[in-house]
Amino acid sequence: MRIGDAAAAAGTTPRALRLYEQRGLLSPPDRSPTGQRRYGPDDVARVRVVRELLALGLTIEDVRACVDRLPLLDVEAIRSRRVPEGVCVRASPVVSRRLAALDAEIARLTRQRDELAARSAGPRPPETSSGATG
């Protein structure tokens, strides 16, 4: 199938397929005699796995670090958490590093949010007394 059809089947765009190929997440596809990219069902399955890993919060660089193990995965295994040991999303240094980075980013954003909330509250206006006694 051509790039547009493969992208649609994988739930992405032709531009994403070219990016995945450029970054080494997808092997260069076969080409037609006219030079058009041709993809098969295995390519579409791999793109789905890549997209699922990216949706979990891994970066393209994270996925590239375990690209040789991508054929061991399928989207349903990732979603159901039935992933073989050491394959990108389970007991992997890649995942440990990504979790640490996400925790650091959450802490940074929490501090930033707290600072903004404190500054937006500003000083409280002085209470006014009407001089009346109750």
Side-chain angles (χ1 to χ4, degrees):
M1 68 185 83
R2 295 189 335 204
I3 192 168
D5 298 326
T12 192
T13 63
R15 183 176 179 186
L17 293 185
R18 288 189 288 275
L19 174 69
Y20 299 161
E21 180 186 342
Q22 178 187 13
R23 296 291 181 92
L25 304 181
L26 192 60
S27 299
D30 292 333
R31 298 277 184 153
S32 71
T34 59
Q36 293 181 327
R37 290 172 169 89
R38 290 190 304 198
Y39 296 90
D42 290 344
D43 298 313
V44 172
R46 185 175 181 125
V47 171
R48 287 181 179 147
V49 167
V50 167
R51 290 184 42 78
E52 189 70 19
L53 293 172
L54 294 174
L56 284 173
L58 296 177
T59 65
I60 287 178
E61 293 304 316
D62 294 335
V63 176
R64 188 163 58 170
C66 55
V67 75
D68 59 320
R69 293 171 296 228
L70 291 181
L72 302 175
L73 291 173
D74 64 48
V75 171
E76 289 310 312
I78 296 168
R79 289 180 181 164
S80 66
R81 300 182 185 160
R82 290 180 284 114
V83 176
E85 189 77 22
V87 183
C88 274
V89 292
R90 185 166 176 226
S92 165
V94 170
V95 171
S96 297
R97 284 192 304 272
R98 188 64 188 140
L99 287 171
L102 288 170
D103 287 342
E105 182 67 4
I106 289 168
R108 184 189 71 77
L109 289 170
T110 300
R111 286 190 305 274
Q112 185 178 17
R113 186 235 176 260
D114 292 347
E115 180 66 22
L116 179 61
R119 288 186 184 201
S120 69
R124 292 187 149 191
E127 291 188 28
T128 59
S129 62
S130 62
T133 58

